[in-house]
Amino acid sequence: MPDAFKELNRMNCCVTGLQWGDEGKGKVVDILAEKADIVVRYGGGANAGHTVIIGDEKFALHIMPSGAVREKTACVIANGVVVDPGTLLEEITQLAQRGIDVSRRLFISENAHIVLDYHKLEDQLRESALGKNKIGTTARGIGPCYADKIGRSFALRMADLRNLTALKEKLVKIVDYKNKLFSALYGAESIDADAIFNKCKVYSAKLGPFICNTTQYLHEAMDAGKNILFEGAQGALLDLDHGTFPFVTSSNASTLGLGPGCGVPTKCVDRFIGVVKAYATRVGSGPFPTEQDNEIGNLIREKGHEYGTTTGRPRRCGWFDAVSVGYTVRLGGINEIAMMHLDTLAGMKEVKICKAYHIEGRQTTFFPGTAEDLEKAECVYETLPGWSEDLSAATRYEDLPANTRNYIAAVEKFVGCPITIVGVGPQRSQAIFRKIM
Ligand code: IMP
């Protein structure tokens, strides 16, 4: 057992992304889940794509917590998640086909809101209507479902699947409202309430046994001394309130979403681990100061297989941005960082870290408050020598080439946070745990 695991005993941990998502959280959660009794998803929905690779097997999970692949770990989908029941059922079936049974260890909050077909349609219609100003969403209905939650009058929660008669009445009213809206705004064809209701009957029968009060479940588990791992979705720069609005997702994707997203106060979390890539990527629209829309970006994309797990879209790639990560470290109260994909940078003659921005003649190391200001940022880079060695077989920090260690030290200095886990390949075993004195 690596040393870092020992410290995890009897600890509640939270793992979140510190960039624009896709940092490699799935792998970090999977590794840490070995010592966790429960893994909790507290935000986002099927827009997430968490990849876990074990041996020859690759699991791409969108809504199920990454802990699902560990047979003894309970999985909670808490109230802050917007649940696409169809995708969830597909994932339950896919896991079962691979011999992984979640039937007695999956708990879905009765207060989690449900994503239905009209949310996905609204997402697509709105994005198409925006044209070049689109957000570049995953088209999974996330924004429209959260909007209905905030609006309250047309929202449906998992608890509604328990009473099909009442659900049908609500659904007829909601679909009527949506049809009028979509027809008036987009000239869209009507959607059929009966077809959606028929799907809901299946969801009710199949998911009903998992629906419960997850807040009570989590508090009783904490009373019983269980270890809980909270798994963030997306990344802090996509946080609705603190990210690069409007090019963000519709939930608090930083650690700040944890309390409202599952009913557990953040003071119950002992360890906040932020996950970054050794470089930066972004999918969808929005400012990205270190973007390399050139050969360097292409190299990173191909070597790092930077294509979306959820949508297959090529990701925009660039250098590591210590200004934005320094900000998300502060925002999330991050104690330590897991840096993934370090192996992808091998072979570069030199590597760069953005250590400050120039905005309208002024130099700053604090991340700007608006996307408009971020658009104006010019990067001030620290350039370091690269490394050519293949890192994939390294098991100890000391095995890493000196230039790689220098790179890690420079990132730590600029973001003000220690890097305690280093990923050197996609496998569960390809992670180095480092003890910081
Ligand atoms: P939405 O969450 O589908 O509404 O998309 C809003 C923005 O967040 C878009 O730029 C998406 O590409 C981005 N996004 C949403 N989920 C993820 C994710 O899991 N990884 C990376 N980007 C994401």
Side-chain angles (χ1 to χ4, degrees):
M1 183 166 76
D3 268 351
F5 275 138
K6 284 191 184 142
E7 292 177 11
L8 284 178
N9 287 335
R10 303 202 170 281
M11 275 216 179
N12 293 332
C13 280
C14 174
V15 176
T16 48
L18 298 182
Q19 295 161 312
W20 280 287
D22 310 316
E23 296 90 351
K25 296 180 290 295
K27 174 174 159 165
V28 176
V29 170
D30 171 57
I31 292 170
L32 300 178
E34 192 189 7
K35 290 285 156 198
D37 300 300
I38 304 167
V39 179
V40 183
R41 267 282 304 266
Y42 60 82
N47 49 351
H50 294 170
T51 309
V52 180
I53 299 178
I54 306 161
D56 295 335
E57 292 220 76
K58 182 173 175 178
F59 298 85
L61 302 171
H62 300 284
I63 190 92
M64 190 67 98
S66 302
V69 297
R70 301 255 183 202
E71 301 243 20
K72 292 200 176 90
T73 312
C75 296
V76 172
I77 298 176
N79 59 282
V81 177
V82 285
V83 180
D84 179 336
T87 305
L88 180 57
L89 280 174
E90 273 169 35
E91 285 183 10
I92 293 173
T93 308
Q94 275 167 24
L95 287 166
Q97 281 164 350
R98 293 158 89 169
I100 298 173
D101 179 17
V102 294
S103 57
R104 267 178 291 280
R105 57 189 180 95
L106 175 63
F107 303 85
I108 308 170
S109 170
E110 53 203 359
N111 290 329
H113 284 246
I114 312 178
V115 179
L116 290 171
D117 288 347
Y118 51 78
H119 291 124
K120 291 182 237 182
L121 179 63
E122 188 171 352
D123 203 347
Q124 287 155 20
L125 291 170
R126 196 188 297 171
E127 284 281 273
S128 307
L130 283 170
K132 68 175 179 35
N133 295 321
K134 69 179 181 185
I135 291 168
T137 71
T138 58
R140 298 295 163 115
I142 306 300
C145 185
Y146 277 118
D148 279 348
K149 174 178 175 174
I150 303 293
R152 293 153 296 157
S153 316
F154 297 108
L156 289 175
R157 295 176 300 162
M158 293 305 288
D160 288 302
L161 292 176
R162 289 185 184 135
N163 182 343
L164 288 174
T165 314
L167 175 70
K168 185 154 191 184
E169 255 177 56
K170 288 185 189 177
L171 208 47
V172 167
K173 282 190 197 137
I174 295 171
V175 171
D176 179 52
Y177 166 77
K178 299 277 179 190
N179 275 338
K180 285 181 186 146
L181 193 73
F182 298 169
S183 159
L185 289 179
Y186 311 109
E189 279 179 27
S190 290
I191 40 176
D192 179 14
D194 283 340
I196 298 179
F197 180 65
N198 287 338
K199 287 189 186 178
C200 286
K201 282 201 280 194
V202 176
Y203 303 151
S204 168
K206 298 204 168 163
L207 295 175
F210 305 117
I211 302 171
C212 63
N213 180 345
T214 52
T215 307
Q216 179 180 356
Y217 173 78
L218 290 173
H219 281 269
E220 287 175 355
M222 286 191 292
D223 292 346
K226 303 274 188 205
N227 289 332
I228 307 180
L229 183 54
F230 300 91
E231 175 181 17
Q234 289 81 45
L237 295 172
L238 289 173
D239 186 286
L240 176 63
D241 286 280
H242 302 279
T244 51
F245 190 92
F247 305 105
V248 290
T249 191
S250 301
S251 61
N252 288 115
S254 65
T255 61
L256 300 173
L258 191 150
C262 67
V264 173
T266 41
K267 72 168 188 182
C268 295
V269 181
D270 308 289
R271 196 173 172 204
F272 287 95
I273 302 174
V275 187
V276 297
K277 272 180 196 160
Y279 45 91
T281 64
R282 172 161 208 171
V283 275
S285 322
F288 180 4
T290 62
E291 181 169 16
Q292 297 299 301
D293 191 10
N294 53 32
E295 271 315 298
I296 290 168
N298 294 343
L299 199 77
I300 294 175
R301 185 176 310 108
E302 294 316 312
K303 258 196 104 183
H305 310 291
E306 293 296 353
Y307 293 88
T309 319
T310 303
T311 58
R313 289 182 290 181
R315 295 179 183 140
R316 299 157 66 192
C317 299
W319 295 119
F320 188 89
D321 183 350
V323 180
S324 63
V325 175
Y327 164 68
T328 53
V329 162
R330 285 172 185 265
L331 195 66
I334 300 297
N335 311 110
E336 55 194 290
I337 289 178
M339 179 181 266
M340 314 311 284
H341 281 268
L342 200 57
D343 50 307
T344 302
L345 291 184
M348 302 252 180
K349 214 165 134 251
E350 51 185 33
V351 282
K352 295 188 182 209
I353 300 169
C354 171
K355 57 183 178 181
Y357 295 151
H358 251 300
I359 301 177
E360 292 180 328
R362 202 172 50 85
Q363 188 156 317
T364 177
T365 54
F366 205 93
F367 195 67
T370 67
E372 290 78 4
D373 280 345
L374 187 62
E375 286 284 8
K376 297 178 203 150
E378 287 167 37
C379 295
V380 180
Y381 285 109
E382 178 91 352
T383 303
L384 293 103
W387 56 91
S388 54
E389 295 88 336
D390 174 15
L391 309 183
S392 59
T395 54
R396 296 173 317 148
Y397 190 70
E398 303 74 54
D399 295 341
L400 295 173
N403 284 353
T404 317
R405 283 182 277 135
N406 287 343
Y407 181 71
I408 292 171
V411 170
E412 285 178 322
K413 182 179 86 179
F414 293 127
V415 304
C417 187
I419 295 174
T420 57
I421 303 173
V422 177
V424 290
Q427 292 287 344
R428 191 184 258 176
S429 55
Q430 289 175 301
I432 296 171
F433 289 81
R434 207 178 151 209
K435 194 141 183 82
I436 305 287
M437 292 304 162

mmCIF file of all heavy atoms in Angstrom, residues 383-403:
data_model
loop_
_atom_site.group_PDB
_atom_site.id
_atom_site.type_symbol
_atom_site.label_atom_id
_atom_site.label_comp_id
_atom_site.label_asym_id
_atom_site.label_seq_id
_atom_site.Cartn_x
_atom_site.Cartn_y
_atom_site.Cartn_z
ATOM 1 N N THR A 383 9.513 29.427 -19.299
ATOM 2 C CA THR A 383 9.864 28.334 -20.214
ATOM 3 C C THR A 383 10.904 27.443 -19.549
ATOM 4 O O THR A 383 11.898 27.921 -19.008
ATOM 5 C CB THR A 383 10.409 28.902 -21.539
ATOM 6 O OG1 THR A 383 9.398 29.761 -22.083
ATOM 7 C CG2 THR A 383 10.722 27.810 -22.540
ATOM 8 N N LEU A 384 10.640 26.143 -19.576
ATOM 9 C CA LEU A 384 11.559 25.184 -18.942
ATOM 10 C C LEU A 384 12.000 24.148 -19.968
ATOM 11 O O LEU A 384 11.258 23.872 -20.926
ATOM 12 C CB LEU A 384 10.855 24.460 -17.787
ATOM 13 C CG LEU A 384 10.494 25.306 -16.580
ATOM 14 C CD1 LEU A 384 9.022 25.626 -16.574
ATOM 15 C CD2 LEU A 384 10.865 24.583 -15.310
ATOM 16 N N PRO A 385 13.170 23.538 -19.735
ATOM 17 C CA PRO A 385 13.577 22.473 -20.661
ATOM 18 C C PRO A 385 12.645 21.268 -20.546
ATOM 19 O O PRO A 385 12.175 20.963 -19.447
ATOM 20 C CB PRO A 385 14.997 22.116 -20.202
ATOM 21 C CG PRO A 385 15.152 22.701 -18.844
ATOM 22 C CD PRO A 385 14.176 23.818 -18.709
ATOM 23 N N GLY A 386 12.360 20.624 -21.675
ATOM 24 C CA GLY A 386 11.477 19.451 -21.650
ATOM 25 C C GLY A 386 12.244 18.180 -21.297
ATOM 26 O O GLY A 386 13.390 18.235 -20.843
ATOM 27 N N TRP A 387 11.610 17.048 -21.500
ATOM 28 C CA TRP A 387 12.251 15.757 -21.240
ATOM 29 C C TRP A 387 11.816 14.788 -22.328
ATOM 30 O O TRP A 387 10.727 14.917 -22.878
ATOM 31 C CB TRP A 387 11.889 15.220 -19.853
ATOM 32 C CG TRP A 387 10.403 15.107 -19.636
ATOM 33 C CD1 TRP A 387 9.627 14.014 -19.883
ATOM 34 C CD2 TRP A 387 9.515 16.138 -19.160
ATOM 35 N NE1 TRP A 387 8.308 14.310 -19.591
ATOM 36 C CE2 TRP A 387 8.216 15.592 -19.143
ATOM 37 C CE3 TRP A 387 9.689 17.459 -18.739
ATOM 38 C CZ2 TRP A 387 7.097 16.314 -18.739
ATOM 39 C CZ3 TRP A 387 8.568 18.177 -18.329
ATOM 40 C CH2 TRP A 387 7.304 17.622 -18.325
ATOM 41 N N SER A 388 12.716 13.844 -22.638
ATOM 42 C CA SER A 388 12.373 12.920 -23.717
ATOM 43 C C SER A 388 12.068 11.523 -23.199
ATOM 44 O O SER A 388 11.534 10.677 -23.916
ATOM 45 C CB SER A 388 13.530 12.857 -24.715
ATOM 46 O OG SER A 388 14.698 12.547 -24.000
ATOM 47 N N GLU A 389 12.405 11.277 -21.930
ATOM 48 C CA GLU A 389 12.226 9.925 -21.384
ATOM 49 C C GLU A 389 10.748 9.532 -21.307
ATOM 50 O O GLU A 389 9.898 10.367 -21.038
ATOM 51 C CB GLU A 389 12.819 9.832 -19.957
ATOM 52 C CG GLU A 389 14.320 10.022 -19.883
ATOM 53 C CD GLU A 389 14.740 11.494 -19.727
ATOM 54 O OE1 GLU A 389 13.953 12.386 -20.117
ATOM 55 O OE2 GLU A 389 15.846 11.733 -19.236
ATOM 56 N N ASP A 390 10.509 8.244 -21.514
ATOM 57 C CA ASP A 390 9.157 7.700 -21.353
ATOM 58 C C ASP A 390 8.907 7.534 -19.844
ATOM 59 O O ASP A 390 9.682 6.893 -19.140
ATOM 60 C CB ASP A 390 9.127 6.326 -22.060
ATOM 61 C CG ASP A 390 7.821 5.615 -21.841
ATOM 62 O OD1 ASP A 390 6.852 6.262 -21.415
ATOM 63 O OD2 ASP A 390 7.783 4.389 -22.098
ATOM 64 N N LEU A 391 7.837 8.143 -19.358
ATOM 65 C CA LEU A 391 7.587 8.119 -17.906
ATOM 66 C C LEU A 391 6.699 6.959 -17.480
ATOM 67 O O LEU A 391 6.500 6.729 -16.292
ATOM 68 C CB LEU A 391 6.883 9.415 -17.469
ATOM 69 C CG LEU A 391 7.473 10.755 -17.882
ATOM 70 C CD1 LEU A 391 6.649 11.891 -17.279
ATOM 71 C CD2 LEU A 391 8.920 10.877 -17.425
ATOM 72 N N SER A 392 6.149 6.236 -18.469
ATOM 73 C CA SER A 392 5.033 5.343 -18.157
ATOM 74 C C SER A 392 5.371 4.225 -17.171
ATOM 75 O O SER A 392 4.479 3.671 -16.538
ATOM 76 C CB SER A 392 4.440 4.773 -19.437
ATOM 77 O OG SER A 392 5.437 4.084 -20.133
ATOM 78 N N ALA A 393 6.663 3.905 -17.032
ATOM 79 C CA ALA A 393 7.007 2.812 -16.114
ATOM 80 C C ALA A 393 7.448 3.318 -14.743
ATOM 81 O O ALA A 393 7.745 2.520 -13.840
ATOM 82 C CB ALA A 393 8.113 1.955 -16.739
ATOM 83 N N ALA A 394 7.510 4.630 -14.566
ATOM 84 C CA ALA A 394 7.988 5.178 -13.281
ATOM 85 C C ALA A 394 7.013 4.834 -12.158
ATOM 86 O O ALA A 394 5.801 4.941 -12.318
ATOM 87 C CB ALA A 394 8.136 6.698 -13.402
ATOM 88 N N THR A 395 7.550 4.398 -11.041
ATOM 89 C CA THR A 395 6.674 4.071 -9.900
ATOM 90 C C THR A 395 6.994 4.936 -8.679
ATOM 91 O O THR A 395 6.219 4.983 -7.735
ATOM 92 C CB THR A 395 6.807 2.588 -9.487
ATOM 93 O OG1 THR A 395 8.185 2.321 -9.250
ATOM 94 C CG2 THR A 395 6.262 1.664 -10.565
ATOM 95 N N ARG A 396 8.196 5.577 -8.688
ATOM 96 C CA ARG A 396 8.560 6.445 -7.559
ATOM 97 C C ARG A 396 8.865 7.834 -8.094
ATOM 98 O O ARG A 396 9.340 7.981 -9.228
ATOM 99 C CB ARG A 396 9.804 5.898 -6.843
ATOM 100 C CG ARG A 396 9.587 4.540 -6.196
ATOM 101 C CD ARG A 396 10.892 3.998 -5.667
ATOM 102 N NE ARG A 396 11.968 4.216 -6.636
ATOM 103 C CZ ARG A 396 13.236 4.432 -6.314
ATOM 104 N NH1 ARG A 396 13.622 4.471 -5.050
ATOM 105 N NH2 ARG A 396 14.148 4.618 -7.248
ATOM 106 N N TYR A 397 8.663 8.805 -7.256
ATOM 107 C CA TYR A 397 8.907 10.182 -7.675
ATOM 108 C C TYR A 397 10.359 10.346 -8.138
ATOM 109 O O TYR A 397 10.635 11.012 -9.142
ATOM 110 C CB TYR A 397 8.591 11.133 -6.517
ATOM 111 C CG TYR A 397 8.588 12.570 -6.936
ATOM 112 C CD1 TYR A 397 7.582 13.061 -7.756
ATOM 113 C CD2 TYR A 397 9.603 13.430 -6.540
ATOM 114 C CE1 TYR A 397 7.579 14.378 -8.170
ATOM 115 C CE2 TYR A 397 9.608 14.749 -6.945
ATOM 116 C CZ TYR A 397 8.596 15.222 -7.764
ATOM 117 O OH TYR A 397 8.604 16.521 -8.171
ATOM 118 N N GLU A 398 11.261 9.681 -7.429
ATOM 119 C CA GLU A 398 12.691 9.782 -7.753
ATOM 120 C C GLU A 398 13.009 9.194 -9.125
ATOM 121 O O GLU A 398 14.059 9.472 -9.692
ATOM 122 C CB GLU A 398 13.556 9.058 -6.695
ATOM 123 C CG GLU A 398 13.378 9.544 -5.259
ATOM 124 C CD GLU A 398 12.070 9.083 -4.632
ATOM 125 O OE1 GLU A 398 11.810 7.874 -4.646
ATOM 126 O OE2 GLU A 398 11.293 9.942 -4.154
ATOM 127 N N ASP A 399 12.113 8.330 -9.647
ATOM 128 C CA ASP A 399 12.353 7.741 -10.974
ATOM 129 C C ASP A 399 12.140 8.767 -12.094
ATOM 130 O O ASP A 399 12.566 8.548 -13.227
ATOM 131 C CB ASP A 399 11.356 6.591 -11.257
ATOM 132 C CG ASP A 399 11.535 5.415 -10.311
ATOM 133 O OD1 ASP A 399 12.614 5.332 -9.704
ATOM 134 O OD2 ASP A 399 10.587 4.611 -10.188
ATOM 135 N N LEU A 400 11.462 9.840 -11.775
ATOM 136 C CA LEU A 400 11.155 10.816 -12.833
ATOM 137 C C LEU A 400 12.412 11.587 -13.218
ATOM 138 O O LEU A 400 13.240 11.910 -12.352
ATOM 139 C CB LEU A 400 10.082 11.796 -12.353
ATOM 140 C CG LEU A 400 8.703 11.218 -12.058
ATOM 141 C CD1 LEU A 400 7.792 12.282 -11.436
ATOM 142 C CD2 LEU A 400 8.055 10.664 -13.331
ATOM 143 N N PRO A 401 12.588 11.931 -14.505
ATOM 144 C CA PRO A 401 13.759 12.706 -14.923
ATOM 145 C C PRO A 401 13.802 14.055 -14.191
ATOM 146 O O PRO A 401 12.757 14.589 -13.809
ATOM 147 C CB PRO A 401 13.521 12.934 -16.415
ATOM 148 C CG PRO A 401 12.475 11.957 -16.820
ATOM 149 C CD PRO A 401 11.688 11.611 -15.613
ATOM 150 N N ALA A 402 15.010 14.588 -14.026
ATOM 151 C CA ALA A 402 15.178 15.847 -13.279
ATOM 152 C C ALA A 402 14.330 16.963 -13.885
ATOM 153 O O ALA A 402 13.708 17.743 -13.163
ATOM 154 C CB ALA A 402 16.651 16.236 -13.266
ATOM 155 N N ASN A 403 14.270 17.037 -15.231
ATOM 156 C CA ASN A 403 13.500 18.119 -15.855
ATOM 157 C C ASN A 403 12.005 17.994 -15.559
ATOM 158 O O ASN A 403 11.291 18.997 -15.473
ATOM 159 C CB ASN A 403 13.718 18.131 -17.378
ATOM 160 C CG ASN A 403 15.079 18.720 -17.728
ATOM 161 O OD1 ASN A 403 15.777 19.221 -16.848
ATOM 162 N ND2 ASN A 403 15.438 18.644 -18.999
#
